[in-house]
């Protein structure tokens, strides 16, 4: 059974890392997940949690994940915006856990937008 | 919503939006009493009388992106669909409490679902908020108080990925222990 004292070990590990958490700098990639009622009903929670897991498993120290309310395109939920260091914003729609893995590998790690999942691809 | 834990997530975002500093989420499930009770209580900015009267009506929202607020009406309906009760009370400057109960064996009742993911999502949304999550069953009670986590972690934020995944596992194990969240 886990005990709260285990957090001490996590704390020590963290403090040994020089760069605790990606403080915002030129390398920061932002991931914004829409978590309003429409998003949650459509499956935003597993999408958010999949991003958190990928960030942890792959030690993506330059990625900051935040949550927001309704982005205003409820019919396309779950919606995720990825903002790369150059300021380009990509809007991914109808997201799910499998799509998250692909967006992380191709876009966040290899800087190649996954066109098929973007809102542009769905509006055609 | 497919799970009550998703309603809880959604209703608690209202508390976060209302700038609550402290949010208490209490779930009690009792097979012997055939009842599930959920309360979400915050110390956010609250609602005035007029808004409070209207929020259970699915045409009220203070949002600007669309006209219809859905969160509260959905939660209310999911309770009433199972012969349960719903209530909401609020005071400007003091906070808001939302309560819903569910008849456990009702066919239309959604499962409690993944509470651990709901709590991780909420803490990730704002790790400065003091969350107290209580969950009781016929076999025991589990309480997670984020102040206790801060006491162990010092400066390390709760939103640190390694901490969040630890919290998720910690909740799962403790719920398992009291046979919680399975129904
Ligand atoms: N805990 C709270 N504290 C203060 N105001 C609240 C609280 N909960 C709800 N409200 C008010 O009631 C309104 C309706 O809430 P509701 O969750 O039904 O819809 P919404 O949040 O506006 O939109 P959504 O459909 O995304 O949930 C909110 O816009 C807000 O003004
Ligand atoms: Mg809401």
């Amino acid at each position: 059974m886990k005990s709260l004292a285990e957090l001490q070990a996590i704390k020590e590990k963290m403090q040994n890392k020089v760069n605790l958490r990606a403080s915002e700098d030129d390398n920061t990639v932002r991931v914004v997940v829409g978590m309003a009622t429409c998003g949650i009903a459509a499956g935003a929670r597993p999408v958010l949690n999949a991003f958190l897991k990928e960030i942890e498993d792959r030690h993506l120290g330059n990625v900051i994940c935040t949550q927001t309310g309704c982005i205003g395109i409820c019919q396309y939920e779950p919606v995720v915006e990825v903002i790369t260091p150059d300021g380009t914003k990509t809007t991914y729609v109808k997201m799910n856990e499998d799509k998250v893995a692909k967006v992380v590998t191709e876009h966040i790690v290899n800087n190649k937008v996954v066109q098929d999942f973007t809102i542009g691809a769905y509006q055609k | 919503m497919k799970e009550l834990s998703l309603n809880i997530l959604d209703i608690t975002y209202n508390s976060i939006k209302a700038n609550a500093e402290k949010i208490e989420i209490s779930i009690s499930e009792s097979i012997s009493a055939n009842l599930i009770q959920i309360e979400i209580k915050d110390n956010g900015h609250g609602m005035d009388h007029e808004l409070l009267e209207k929020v259970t009506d699915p045409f009220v929202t203070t949002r600007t992106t669309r006209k219809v607020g859905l969160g509260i009406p959905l939660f209310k309906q999911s309770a009433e669909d199972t012969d349960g009760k719903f209530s909401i009370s609020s005071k400007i400057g003091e906070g808001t409490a939302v309560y819903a109960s569910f008849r456990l064996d009702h066919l239309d009742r959604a499962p409690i679902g993944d509470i651990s993911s709901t709590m991780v999502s909420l803490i990730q949304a704002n790790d400065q908020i003091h969350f107290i999550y209580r969950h009781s069953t016929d076999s025991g009670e589990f309480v997670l108080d984020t102040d206790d986590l801060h006491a162990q972690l010092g400066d390390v934020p709760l939103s640190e990925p390694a901490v969040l995944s630890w919290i998720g596992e910690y909740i799962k194990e403790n719920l398992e222990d009291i046979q919680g969240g399975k129904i």
Side-chain angles (χ1 to χ4, degrees):
Chain A
M1 192 81 173
K2 280 185 149 42
S3 87
L4 286 178
E6 287 174 28
L7 289 171
Q8 293 282 343
I10 296 180
K11 175 183 169 185
E12 274 153 35
K13 240 202 272 173
M14 290 296 151
Q15 284 170 339
N16 289 337
K17 275 199 239 162
V18 191
N19 194 348
L20 225 187
R21 183 81 208 117
S23 50
E24 281 192 64
D25 61 25
D26 297 347
N27 271 322
T28 304
V29 176
R30 301 187 138 272
V31 174
V32 183
V33 184
M35 296 291 287
T37 306
C38 44
I40 294 170
R45 187 183 65 186
V47 166
L48 170 73
N49 281 272
F51 271 112
L52 298 178
K53 190 169 181 332
E54 291 280 347
I55 292 170
E56 191 202 353
D57 290 352
R58 299 183 183 222
H59 305 287
L60 302 174
N62 65 323
V63 181
I64 294 182
C65 186
T66 54
Q67 304 177 35
T68 187
C70 184
I71 300 172
I73 43 173
C74 305
Q75 69 272 34
Y76 293 113
E77 295 283 356
V79 175
V80 172
E81 294 174 342
V82 174
I83 301 144
T84 42
D86 61 6
T88 313
K89 181 169 93 181
T90 306
T91 303
Y92 289 113
V93 302
K94 296 191 182 273
M95 288 295 286
N96 60 37
E97 286 165 276
D98 292 340
K99 286 178 163 186
V100 169
K102 197 158 174 190
V103 167
V104 170
T105 308
E106 294 194 11
H107 192 171
I108 295 178
V109 177
N110 291 319
N111 204 17
K112 209 174 138 273
V113 173
V114 188
Q115 291 296 347
D116 288 355
F117 302 168
T118 60
I119 183 153
Y122 280 82
Q123 281 176 335
K124 264 181 208 150
Chain B
M1 297 272 183
K2 284 198 209 88
E3 301 174 7
L4 299 178
S5 68
L6 292 172
N7 291 108
I8 294 172
L9 181 63
D10 183 42
I11 294 297
T12 311
Y13 281 128
N14 288 341
S15 303
I16 296 179
K17 259 189 276 171
N19 294 322
E21 286 161 357
K22 181 179 178 187
I23 302 175
E24 294 168 76
I25 298 171
S26 308
I27 303 171
S28 107
E29 45 171 295
S30 169
I31 295 170
S32 59
N34 193 23
L35 186 69
I36 294 174
Q37 291 173 285
I38 295 170
E39 189 189 43
I40 296 132
K41 202 170 143 201
D42 70 58
N43 68 350
H45 59 55
M47 285 173 261
D48 61 27
H49 203 74
E50 200 188 346
L51 181 59
L52 186 63
E53 298 265 276
K54 286 194 235 155
V55 283
T56 50
D57 168 356
F59 289 94
V60 172
T61 182
T62 52
R63 291 179 10 173
T64 48
T65 43
R66 89 164 125 73
K67 293 222 160 50
V68 185
L70 286 181
I72 294 173
L74 271 177
F75 196 36
K76 178 171 191 260
Q77 198 189 345
S78 66
E80 289 173 351
D81 282 352
T82 70
D83 304 332
K85 294 195 169 72
F86 177 88
S87 69
I88 177 165
S89 61
S90 189
K91 228 175 178 171
I92 287 280
E94 286 183 22
T96 302
V98 176
Y99 168 89
S101 66
F102 302 81
R103 205 180 90 201
L104 192 142
D105 69 359
H106 198 288
L107 277 174
D108 293 332
R109 182 185 60 80
I112 293 176
D114 189 353
I115 290 288
S116 164
S117 289
T118 281
M119 289 310 302
V120 166
S121 304
L122 288 169
I123 293 170
Q124 204 271 340
N126 188 331
D127 65 1
Q128 300 301 308
I129 292 173
H130 180 193
F131 286 103
I132 302 171
Y133 156 50
R134 297 186 186 85
H135 196 131
S136 72
T137 66
D138 288 332
S139 38
E141 191 191 25
F142 165 60
V143 181
L144 179 88
D145 183 329
T146 53
D147 272 0
D148 296 338
L149 306 181
H150 286 297
Q152 299 287 333
L153 285 164
D155 291 345
V156 175
L158 299 184
S159 55
E160 189 60 41
V163 175
L164 284 175
S165 72
W166 185 91
I167 295 171
E169 291 305 315
Y170 181 68
I171 293 173
K172 274 187 207 150
E173 271 192 26
N174 278 281
L175 286 186
E176 188 72 31
D177 198 45
I178 59 167
Q179 298 287 311
K182 288 182 188 267
I183 46 170

